[in-house]
Amino acid sequence: MDNPSDIFTKPNCELQVDLTNMLVLEGHIQCAAFEMPIRPYEDTIYFGKQLPSIAAERLLRDPSLNFYHCNERFRPHPSRCVAIRDTEDGHFAVVDITHNRNVVLEEVEPSRAFFTIYEGGIFLHQGLTYLVREFSPDRRVAKVALVKVDWTTQQRDYTDIDPVETEAIRRLPAPSLSRAFYGAIRVRQVVFGFFKVDRKRRILDAVHVDNPPIILHSKGLWLDVPKPALAILNSRRLNVAAAIHAAEHAVLSLMPCYVISMPGDVRTECKNATKEFAQKETSRKRPARLTFYDAKGGASGSGISTKAFEFIDLLLVRAVERVEACHCVAGCVECVCSEGCKEQNLVMSKAGAEVVLKCLLGREAEIDIEGLPWGPEDERVKAGVETVVEAGAVPLSQALREKRGREEEEEVVVVKVEDVSEMG
């Protein structure tokens, strides 16, 4: 920390709640409308200025009195549709089948299910150990049995985060030629094995499993790494995956400065050292892309990445400033490392992150290529075969295609009018 005295001298931070987040706001409005009809313009004092538009779009209008009632999809008990512990849907049920009990122990959020429920693994519940006998992602059910063992399990996994549909495009300010994209994200999580570890965290055994993948859908934003950045990184033998991973963490750490959020609300794809530094080719090539997605909120997202999309140009500028100002050599939590990285920040390149971020902003001329270190930067881990390929285009959504079609038609009309006026 640069200013440790601030901990003791500055006042405590105020609790901030984003009351404009639709994921949070709509549930409360539906519950309120069930208890008493909503009067949009009079009740804005309680629910904000956007209440009239929300009422018109999401509530049922009473034309005789101009009141709004709870939507039918929330009835008969709206409060049961609004979670107070989390904002995730589609929970996984953990069923205890010990001695044919068939009792639900608890329901696990999709974001936790990936690393807590897998066949052959140990599931901990209230201090007791349960062995996962059967796991069905489609039915969202895991069957467990009570066992007495002196070891636990640690999953071996990988996660692929890929955009599947583009819903919005934002051009970065000149001189940049890059664009930021927003849309639907698919998160594919696969547990391919696990370690048996004792209480001293010593590995007792390595087990391979063939579990079906857990596929989640969310919303997020992404930026394709420009070709000049890839060329510079390759010319200095800097690991492209490490550069992308470091750049993602640099941007991710700054999101709370622009969007009301908590660590973990928005996530990215962390790079695994075993794969990235392997000495053989891999069939799991990943696109050269910075990707961020909402960890909560289901397929509709939590709205945090949507707001981050609006500030992406400022986030990139601040990320470059932060990386340049940090005095560390290989990267630290003040610039490109993250305490929440599930791969322990092993695949990191601070120099590569600076290249990626500056190229996204169109500031390639500021990069001192000769001053960049030669890879591999970390002598503890040998450099492996490159696992990153150039990012391809993501299909546009139907709404975005129609919007572009109308804009092109308007441009054609304008050109024709100009041609006619010049002839006249």
Side-chain angles (χ1 to χ4, degrees):
M1 295 179 61
D2 294 331
N3 304 289
S5 61
D6 289 350
I7 296 178
F8 305 101
T9 58
K10 286 193 173 183
N12 295 330
C13 295
E14 296 180 356
L15 176 64
Q16 294 184 333
V17 179
D18 186 4
L19 297 178
T20 63
N21 190 321
M22 188 60 65
L23 190 67
V24 177
L25 186 59
E26 183 187 5
H28 290 281
I29 292 177
Q30 297 286 358
C31 291
F34 180 75
E35 295 180 3
M36 181 179 293
I38 291 287
R39 295 171 294 182
Y41 294 98
E42 296 180 24
D43 292 337
T44 53
I45 186 175
Y46 306 111
F47 299 105
K49 297 179 179 179
Q50 67 270 40
L51 180 60
S53 61
I54 295 175
E57 295 174 4
R58 300 173 182 266
L59 299 179
L60 293 179
R61 183 173 177 269
D62 185 340
S64 60
L65 300 174
N66 201 27
F67 287 166
Y68 287 84
H69 302 276
C70 175
N71 195 294
E72 288 294 336
R73 66 188 180 93
F74 283 83
R75 294 176 181 270
H77 303 291
S79 59
R80 295 182 181 178
C81 303
V82 182
I84 60 175
R85 287 190 173 184
D86 59 71
T87 55
E88 299 185 55
D89 53 8
H91 288 57
F92 290 76
V94 181
V95 181
D96 181 11
I97 61 173
T98 308
H99 305 307
N100 296 319
R101 292 185 62 206
N102 292 323
V103 175
V104 177
L105 291 179
E106 64 175 281
E107 293 186 350
V108 180
E109 301 93 335
S111 59
R112 284 181 52 223
F114 165 58
F115 57 86
T116 56
I117 307 174
Y118 46 91
E119 287 190 14
I122 294 296
F123 179 78
L124 297 176
H125 174 74
Q126 295 183 353
L128 301 177
T129 53
Y130 293 83
L131 181 66
V132 181
R133 299 289 190 185
E134 182 183 338
F135 176 51
S136 175
D138 296 332
R139 296 169 55 206
R140 295 185 178 267
V141 172
K143 296 181 180 180
V144 301
L146 181 64
V147 293
K148 291 184 178 181
V149 293
D150 57 358
W151 49 269
T152 57
T153 55
Q154 178 181 332
Q155 83 280 5
R156 303 169 64 195
D157 58 74
Y158 65 83
T159 303
D160 289 340
I161 302 169
D162 295 299
V164 294
E165 189 177 66
T166 304
E167 298 176 5
I169 301 175
R170 186 183 185 93
R171 288 192 176 276
L172 299 181
S176 175
L177 300 177
S178 299
R179 295 178 297 174
F181 304 89
Y182 175 84
I185 298 286
R186 184 185 67 177
V187 182
R188 184 174 183 269
Q189 304 167 326
V190 179
V191 175
F192 58 86
F194 58 85
F195 293 120
K196 290 183 179 180
V197 295
D198 62 14
R199 295 178 180 177
K200 295 183 178 180
R201 308 303 297 171
R202 294 176 298 190
I203 296 177
L204 304 176
D205 192 12
V207 181
H208 179 79
V209 296
D210 186 20
N211 280 333
I214 296 178
I215 297 178
L216 307 175
H217 296 276
S218 184
K219 297 290 186 181
L221 65 113
W222 63 93
L223 303 107
D224 295 339
V225 177
K227 292 182 179 180
L230 298 176
I232 294 173
L233 294 172
N234 291 328
S235 68
R236 303 297 289 186
R237 296 201 305 270
L238 294 174
N239 189 283
V240 178
I244 293 173
H245 191 197
E248 287 174 329
H249 278 318
V251 174
L252 201 60
S253 65
L254 291 168
M255 281 192 184
C257 297
Y258 295 89
V259 183
I260 298 176
S261 60
M262 293 289 291
D265 287 345
V266 178
R267 296 178 184 172
T268 188
E269 181 178 314
C270 293
K271 309 297 183 183
N272 181 272
T274 303
K275 169 182 176 286
E276 303 302 338
F277 297 124
Q279 296 297 313
K280 60 181 181 180
E281 285 284 352
T282 176
S283 58
R284 188 172 152 254
K285 299 283 189 179
R286 303 299 298 142
R289 177 180 290 137
L290 278 67
T291 311
F292 310 93
Y293 72 98
D294 290 325
K296 300 179 180 180
S300 300
S302 63
I304 296 176
S305 65
T306 309
K307 294 191 176 183
F309 178 68
E310 300 175 6
F311 297 100
I312 188 60
D313 50 341
L314 296 177
L315 282 168
L316 292 172
V317 172
R318 285 289 306 278
V320 170
E321 294 174 351
R322 190 170 188 176
V323 172
E324 287 181 324
C326 190
H327 300 296
C328 70
V329 177
C332 65
V333 293
E334 295 293 333
C335 54
V336 298
C337 293
S338 171
E339 295 177 349
C341 179
K342 71 186 195 76
E343 300 298 343
Q344 291 78 48
N345 298 296
L346 292 177
V347 186
M348 283 289 165
S349 173
K350 179 184 178 182
E354 187 174 347
V355 171
V356 171
L357 294 171
K358 285 187 175 179
C359 287
L360 282 171
L361 291 171
R363 293 161 54 179
E364 298 92 335
E366 299 179 16
I367 301 174
D368 181 11
I369 299 178
E370 296 301 323
L372 292 174
W374 284 94
E377 294 180 46
D378 193 346
E379 296 298 336
R380 297 171 297 175
V381 186
K382 295 182 179 179
V385 178
E386 190 58 70
T387 61
V388 176
V389 296
E390 187 177 336
V394 178
L396 303 180
S397 65
Q398 180 66 27
L400 190 56
R401 288 199 301 269
E402 293 176 355
K403 179 182 178 181
R404 283 198 158 189
R406 291 193 298 268
E407 291 176 349
E408 290 176 357
E409 291 177 358
E410 291 174 357
E411 289 179 0
V412 171
V413 171
V414 170
V415 170
K416 289 182 178 180
V417 170
E418 290 178 350
D419 291 343
V420 171
S421 60
E422 288 179 0
M423 292 176 61

